[in-house]
Amino acid sequence: MNLALAAGAPRPRTGPERAAPLVGRGAHLSALIRHASRTGASPVPAVLLTGPAGIGRSSLLDTFCRSVSPWAAVLEAGAADGTWRTRPGAAPDHLGITPDGNDAVAERFGSDGGPHAASPHQLHAAVLGLARRGPVVLAADDAHLDRPDTLRALGYVLRRAADLPLLLLVTVPTATGDAEPPALSALLTHPAWTTTELPPLTAPQTAELLTRRLGRRPEPALLRRCLEHSAGLPAAVLAFADRHETTAGTDAGAGNGADGRVPRPRRAATAGPGPLPRSASTVLSAVTVLGCAEPELVSRLTRLPEPAVRRSLDQLTARRALTAEGRPDPAVPAPGPERRRGPDDGTPLHARAARLLEDEGRPPQEVADVLLRVRHGAAPWMLETLYAAALDTDSPEAAVRYLSHALDLGADQDGRTLRRVRARLADTLAESDPFVALQHLGALLATCADGPELARVARRYADALLALGHADEAARLLARVLDRTAAPGTVTVPEDRRPGLEAALLLSGALLPATAPWTGERSQSGGPATGTCAGPGRRRLQVVRAVLSALGGRPTNPPGTGPAHEAPPGPADRAGTPLDDLTRVASALAAQLADRPTAALDILDGLLRHPARGGPDPSRVQAYLVRALVRCGLGDLPGAERDGRRARGLAGGGGPGVAPAVVLAYVLAQRGATTAAAALLAEVRAAELRPLFYLHPLYWSAVAAVRRAHGDPRGALRALRAAGRALGHGAAAPLTALPWWLEAADLLTALGDPAAARHVAAEHSGDDRDHGDGADGAARSPRAAGAVLLARGLATPGPAGLALLHEACARLADSPARLLRARAEQALGVALLDAGVPASARPRLRTALDLMTGCGAGDAAEPVRRRLAEAGGRPRRQTACPGDALTERERRVAELAMAGHSNPEIAEALYITRRTVELHLTHTYHKLGVSGRDDLSAILEAPGAAPRRTGGERG
C-alpha cells in the first residue's frame, strides 16, 4: 500500500496535557465512544475537541484512542511531521503493511530517510482498505500547528467518506486568532463537525485530581489556593501539586514527608534513550523556569557559555524534551528546579530567573509568572512587580493570582506595601467575589492609620456590602465610622471626606425598613458635621438630602433651584460602584421632582446600559423604579410597567420587594388594571411599608385609584388625603410629579362639594391670581401650570371653569405629560357636553381617548368612550395597545416610515400627496408622544402592541 505510515516505537507525547490523569471527563469520553460506535452513519461523525491550553484535550484524545483501539483501527497524525501512525500496541497488519514496512515507505516517499505525510489519495485509499475490516478513527492532535498536508488529506477523506465506518477527531485550542492556518479553516467549514468545548474542572474534580497526584486528600486551604491559582485547568492543577510536593519535600528532607507518607517517585526527566548530560539537564531546568529558550538568557541564568547552551538546546530539541516552538514539555519536567541553587549566590533558581527578566525590562506579567513559583525569600521588588502585573493584565483572575501570591510571599515585608496590595486585591474582587473582598477590607479597616485612608476603606466596605444586598449593614458601618469621637490614638474621618460618606450612609440606609426611620431622622437633623468646603462629596450630600426631604414632605430648596438639580457626579457612560449608581439614581429623582423628566431619563438610561452585576444589585432595582415613575409621568405606561416588573424580578420578596410592588401597583392603576394593582397592594405588609416613608404617597395614590374604580369614592378621597399628609403641605416639587390634590378636587366635585374642591385646589396650587407662577414667583413649567389650571377648572362651575380648562389644555399641549393632558382634554370635553355643546365636546373627547390609548391606558378610558358616544362620536374599540390610537391610514404611513421609506416614497406608494404624509406623521407623533420616526419602533413594536401590517406595495 502506497501510504507513508510510521508504525515504529511510539515517540514521547508533548504538550502540557499529555500526562494529566483523566478526571472530570467521563461524560465527554462516553460521548466520543458513542460517536465511534455509530460509524457508518450519514453524515460521517466529525468531532472538534477544543478548550484553552492545559484543559486536557490531548489527555482525553489519548484515553479515547486507547479505549477504542481493541475494536477499531486508529490512525494518529504526528504532531511535528504530520505522518500517520498506528496506535501503539495495534498490530501492523491492521494497515496492510509489514513490521519492516516503515523503511520501504520512507524510501518511497522521501530521500532524507524520514517519513513524509501521506497524500490525500494515499490516506483515502488506506481508510477504504481499513474500513472493510471495521471502524476507523482518524485522530489529529493540535491541528492548529502548521501541517497543511495533513489537514488537506483529512478534508479530502471527509468529503469522500459517505457511509464509511469512520470517525474524525481533531483537537485545537479555544482561540487561535489570526494565526489559524488556512488549511484548518477550510477543513472546519465542512458541516459534519460537532464542537465539544471542555470546561474547567469543578472544585470536587480539582480535589480528586490533587488527591491522585499527592496521594492524599488535600486540606481545604490547599484546595482553595489551588483553585485560585489554576482556574480549573488540569495542567495547572498538576503543576501546582508538583510545586507543593517539591516544597514539602524540601522541608521534610529526603526521607518520608511530614505526614509519614513516602514521597511519590518523580517521573523520568528525560526523553528518548539514556539520561541527559548534566549541562543539558541544567539548561532544561533554566528553560523550564524562564518559559523560553533564548540562548542568551539561559546562558546568563546558568552561567554556562552561550555556545554550550546552544548545543544543549539542540540536544533537547532532538530528544523532544522541547516542543517545536522551543518551549519545555511539562510531561518531561526538569529535575527539581526550585531546589537548584545559583552557582555562587545561593538564590533559588526561580528568584534568579525572575530578577534576570526584570533587569532585561520584560513585561511585568512575564516576570510575575515566574515569581508565582517562588515560595519564600521575598524581596520588595518582587511585590512591586506582582502589583504592576496585576495592574497591567486585562484578566481579573490573573490579577487575583498575582496579588494573592504577593500577600502570601510578602507576609514579613513592609506593611505599607502590603496594604496597597491588599487594597488593590479587594478592588479586583469587588465585582467577582465581594464576600472575599469584605475579608480584605475588614483587615484594612481595622488597621487604618490615617483619616483619608479610613474614609476610602469605609466607602469600599459599604460598596461591597451593597453588592451582597446588605444595605442596612452598610449604613450602620458608615454611621459607626462617621460618629467616632476624636480622641488621642483614634483615627477619624477628615472634614472634607465626611459629606461623601454621609451621602453614602443616607442612600444605603433609606433602602430597607430596618434602617429607613433613623436614616430619615439623620437626614432631617443634619447628622455630624459635614464640612464647609465645596466639592463632589458635598454636592452629593445636598442632592440626597434634598430628595429625601422632598419625598418626606420637607423640601429644603425651592423647586427648580439648588443643588438637587445639578448634574450627577461622575461620567454617565462609565460603570461605577453601587454607591455611585445610587447617587446617580438620587440625581435622576431630583430632576424628576424638579419637573425635568428628560434629564432624569438621560441619567437612568446611561446607568441601565451598563451590564448588570451578579447577585443582589439594589442600585439597579432603584434605577428601574425611578425610571418607571418618570415614564409614567411622561405617559409611557407600557415602558413603566416593564421597568416595574424588572425591578420586582431583581428585588425578590421581603423588604427589598416592597418598593417594586408599590411602584408597579401605581403604574397598573394608571393603566386601568385595578384588579392586578389591588392584588399587588394586598401583598404589601404594613410592618414593612411603614418605615419606608417615601413610598407612602405612591401607595395611597394607588389605593385611591383602586377604590374609585371599585365604586368607593369616599374611600378613595380618604386615601388621597393620606397621600397628601405623607407628602406634607407646601411640598410643591413632589406635588408636580404626584398631584394628589387634583384627583381630590375631581372627587369632591363629583361628590357635590365644589367649595371643598376649590379649597383643596387653591391650598395646593399657589396664588389664585397667577396661573403661570408659583407662590414664590418662580416660573412654573407647562406641566405644573397645567395641573394647577386643571384642578381649578374642575372645581369651578360655569363659563369661568370652562375658560380655566381651555387654558389648562393649551398649557399642557406644550408639556411632555401626555396622560395629564388627556385628563384635561377629558375634563373639558365632559364640561362642554354637560353645557350642551356636543359638537365642541367631540374633538376634545376624541383627543383624550387617542392620548390615553397612545399612553397605554386604554383600559382606563371607558368613561371617555361613553361620553364620546353621548356626544355623537363613534369611538374605536377599547384597547391597551398604544398603536391602536392611530387611524388605518396613519398606521400604514407609520409602518412605511419605520421600514425606512422617505416621505416622497410613502406618498408614491399610497397614492397621496407629500403634504398628507407629513400631516399623518405629525398626528402619529402627537398621539404616541414621540419626536420622530426613529422613536416609532419603540412604541409600535413593544410587547403588547398590535401586530404590524405589511405595507409598501402599490394599491
Side-chain angles (χ1 to χ4, degrees):
M1 179 177 293
N2 295 332
L3 179 61
L5 297 169
R11 62 177 181 83
R13 303 181 70 83
T14 61
E17 309 159 298
R18 309 287 187 172
L22 194 66
V23 173
R25 303 292 184 239
H28 300 89
L29 178 61
S30 300
L32 291 178
I33 293 175
R34 284 196 299 271
H35 279 298
S37 63
R38 63 176 282 267
T39 52
S42 183
V44 171
V47 179
L48 174 67
L49 278 181
T50 184
I55 198 65
R57 303 184 312 273
S58 300
S59 293
L60 179 57
L61 176 68
D62 183 78
T63 304
F64 166 75
C65 292
R66 198 164 54 244
S67 301
V68 302
S69 58
W71 50 271
V74 180
L75 299 182
E76 295 180 86
D81 52 22
T83 57
W84 291 91
R85 307 171 188 275
T86 60
R87 182 70 194 168
D93 59 4
H94 272 311
L95 306 177
I97 60 175
T98 60
D100 60 350
N102 291 331
D103 294 336
V105 171
E107 193 173 281
R108 182 176 294 117
F109 291 101
S111 58
D112 55 359
H116 285 186
S119 70
H121 298 285
Q122 293 164 345
L123 182 61
H124 184 237
V127 169
L128 287 176
L130 294 170
R132 298 189 187 99
R133 299 181 175 90
V136 182
V137 175
L138 292 181
D141 196 11
D142 293 333
H144 64 290
L145 301 179
D146 192 13
R147 293 178 291 169
D149 293 340
T150 300
L151 299 178
R152 281 195 289 269
L154 276 174
Y156 184 87
V157 172
L158 182 59
R159 291 191 298 272
R160 290 161 177 77
D163 301 324
L164 287 180
L166 176 65
L167 169 67
L168 270 68
L169 186 56
V170 167
T171 75
V172 296
T174 298
T176 57
D178 297 334
E180 182 176 284
L184 177 60
S185 301
L187 174 64
L188 297 180
T189 56
H190 196 283
W193 289 101
T194 299
T195 301
T196 300
E197 183 169 359
L198 300 182
L201 299 181
T202 62
Q205 293 167 351
T206 302
E208 180 183 352
L209 186 55
L210 276 177
T211 302
R212 294 190 187 186
R213 194 66 161 187
L214 299 175
R216 58 184 172 81
R217 192 72 181 172
E219 301 82 3
L222 180 65
L223 177 59
R224 186 168 55 252
R225 283 175 49 209
C226 180
L227 290 170
E228 193 174 272
H229 286 269
S230 67
L233 297 180
V237 173
L238 295 177
F240 177 88
D242 290 343
R243 290 199 303 272
H244 174 77
E245 190 180 41
T246 298
T247 304
T250 302
D251 295 340
N256 292 352
D259 57 356
R261 181 178 59 85
V262 176
R264 179 177 53 82
R266 302 287 295 179
R267 290 171 294 170
T270 60
L276 284 172
R278 182 174 181 180
S279 60
S281 179
T282 302
V283 169
L284 181 57
S285 296
V287 172
T288 302
V289 172
L290 288 170
C292 67
E294 298 181 25
E296 182 181 355
L297 287 179
V298 175
S299 173
R300 292 175 59 185
L301 180 60
T302 60
R303 305 292 197 271
L304 293 174
E306 190 171 333
V309 170
R310 293 183 181 275
R311 287 193 299 271
S312 296
L313 291 174
D314 292 340
Q315 291 176 356
L316 294 171
T317 303
R319 301 177 70 156
R320 302 186 186 234
L322 296 179
T323 64
E325 293 82 12
R327 296 188 177 277
D329 184 354
V332 189
E338 191 62 64
R339 300 186 207 172
R340 297 181 63 87
R341 303 286 177 178
D344 43 34
D345 60 3
T347 306
L349 191 59
H350 283 100
R352 292 186 59 246
R355 186 68 196 190
L356 176 61
L357 294 173
E358 175 76 9
D359 293 342
E360 285 288 312
R362 294 303 179 92
Q365 294 181 54
E366 186 176 339
V367 184
D369 288 337
V370 178
L371 287 174
L372 289 175
R373 306 291 297 273
V374 177
R375 311 307 305 178
H376 52 80
W381 70 267
M382 296 181 180
L383 305 187
E384 294 294 340
T385 299
L386 288 166
Y387 184 81
L391 293 180
D392 285 351
T393 183
D394 294 329
S395 168
E397 294 80 7
V400 169
R401 284 198 298 272
Y402 295 144
L403 296 168
S404 299
H405 187 64
L407 288 180
D408 294 340
L409 188 62
D412 56 349
Q413 294 293 310
D414 177 59
R416 288 174 298 179
T417 301
L418 290 180
R419 291 183 67 81
R420 187 156 51 92
V421 171
R422 192 181 295 278
R424 182 66 188 181
L425 178 58
D427 287 345
T428 306
L429 290 168
E431 289 287 340
S432 60
D433 196 345
F435 182 77
V436 178
L438 276 181
Q439 301 174 22
H440 293 288
L441 290 168
L444 291 171
L445 192 63
T447 56
C448 283
D450 63 85
E453 184 188 16
L454 175 63
R456 288 194 302 271
V457 175
R459 181 180 171 84
R460 291 174 183 172
Y461 202 108
D463 266 317
L465 287 170
L466 277 174
L468 291 169
H470 303 315
D472 50 348
E473 294 183 25
R476 293 190 182 99
L477 166 80
L478 294 171
R480 288 195 300 270
V481 171
L482 283 168
D483 296 345
R484 284 185 180 180
T485 303
T490 302
V491 180
T492 58
V493 177
E495 288 298 315
D496 61 332
R497 303 295 182 93
R498 297 178 73 82
L501 287 187
E502 185 71 20
L505 185 157
L506 297 178
L507 284 170
S508 53
L511 297 179
L512 296 179
T515 50
W518 65 264
T519 298
E521 295 172 3
R522 187 181 182 106
S523 174
Q524 187 178 11
S525 65
T530 56
T532 57
C533 60
R538 187 170 181 79
R539 289 197 298 273
R540 291 181 184 185
L541 179 58
Q542 290 172 325
V543 168
V544 174
R545 278 185 172 164
V547 169
L548 291 179
S549 297
L551 293 176
R554 301 179 299 272
T556 56
N557 299 289
T561 65
H565 315 301
E566 296 179 359
D573 58 348
R574 187 174 69 231
T577 66
L579 282 173
D580 291 335
D581 290 348
L582 280 177
T583 306
R584 292 193 181 103
V585 173
S587 297
L589 188 52
Q592 169 69 359
L593 295 178
D595 203 12
R596 297 172 56 224
T598 303
L601 277 182
D602 289 343
I603 297 170
L604 296 169
D605 290 346
L607 192 155
L608 291 171
R609 276 196 295 267
H610 303 149
R613 300 182 180 91
D617 194 351
S619 60
R620 201 169 190 86
V621 172
Q622 299 303 315
Y624 276 125
L625 291 179
V626 175
R627 194 169 73 171
L629 294 176
V630 175
R631 286 178 162 176
C632 188
L634 292 175
D636 180 11
L637 296 180
E641 182 180 345
R642 288 195 300 273
D643 282 344
R645 295 193 184 280
R646 287 168 181 160
R648 185 167 166 81
L650 286 174
V658 175
V662 170
V663 171
L664 183 56
Y666 176 77
V667 173
L668 291 173
Q670 300 304 303
R671 297 199 70 175
T674 52
T675 302
L680 281 172
L681 293 172
E683 297 178 8
V684 177
R685 290 178 286 184
E688 293 177 344
L689 176 65
R690 192 175 299 112
L692 302 177
F693 57 91
Y694 49 86
L695 290 178
H696 295 175
L698 283 176
Y699 174 81
W700 289 115
S701 294
V703 169
V706 171
R707 289 177 178 176
R708 185 171 188 176
H710 292 174
D712 182 11
R714 296 192 180 278
L717 185 60
R718 288 194 299 272
L720 288 173
R721 292 192 182 280
R725 288 193 298 273
L727 283 169
H729 291 285
L735 294 180
T736 302
L738 191 68
W740 67 271
W741 39 273
L742 193 157
E743 297 289 340
D746 188 19
L747 274 172
L748 286 167
T749 302
L751 289 170
D753 194 351
R758 286 193 294 273
H759 175 74
V760 168
E763 182 182 8
H764 295 281
S765 59
D767 193 343
D768 286 336
R769 295 167 298 177
D770 187 0
H771 309 315
D773 298 336
D776 58 357
R780 283 197 177 109
S781 66
R783 178 170 66 169
V788 169
L789 290 165
L790 176 57
R792 292 175 178 171
L794 287 170
T796 304
L802 285 174
L804 288 170
L805 292 175
H806 270 288
E807 190 175 353
C809 291
R811 296 299 294 267
L812 289 170
D814 299 328
S815 165
R818 294 185 295 146
L819 202 58
L820 188 59
R821 184 193 167 197
R823 183 64 183 279
E825 296 284 353
Q826 176 189 1
L828 179 56
V830 169
L832 289 169
L833 184 61
D834 291 343
V837 195
S840 299
R842 280 197 298 271
R844 297 294 182 175
L845 292 170
R846 188 173 297 282
T847 299
L849 181 60
D850 288 343
L851 284 171
M852 294 181 74
T853 305
C855 291
D859 290 339
E862 185 59 29
V864 183
R865 290 169 50 81
R866 288 198 301 268
R867 300 310 300 266
L868 180 57
E870 291 178 23
R874 291 185 298 172
R876 288 184 288 276
R877 63 183 179 86
Q878 180 178 349
T879 175
C881 297
D884 286 338
L886 306 179
T887 65
E888 187 64 30
R889 182 53 61 88
E890 287 169 350
R891 177 187 294 277
R892 191 74 179 276
V893 170
E895 288 173 348
L896 291 174
M898 284 192 297
H901 296 284
S902 65
N903 288 0
E905 291 172 343
I906 297 173
E908 183 180 358
L910 300 181
Y911 297 105
I912 57 179
T913 65
R914 192 180 309 180
R915 176 59 180 164
T916 303
V917 172
E918 294 172 356
L919 288 174
H920 282 319
L921 286 175
T922 300
H923 293 159
T924 299
Y925 301 155
H926 181 72
K927 290 180 179 181
L928 300 181
V930 299
S931 58
R933 63 177 66 204
D934 293 338
D935 300 324
L936 289 174
S937 298
I939 301 296
L940 297 181
E941 294 182 350
R948 289 181 56 186
R949 300 171 176 83
T950 58
E953 303 85 356
R954 292 181 179 272

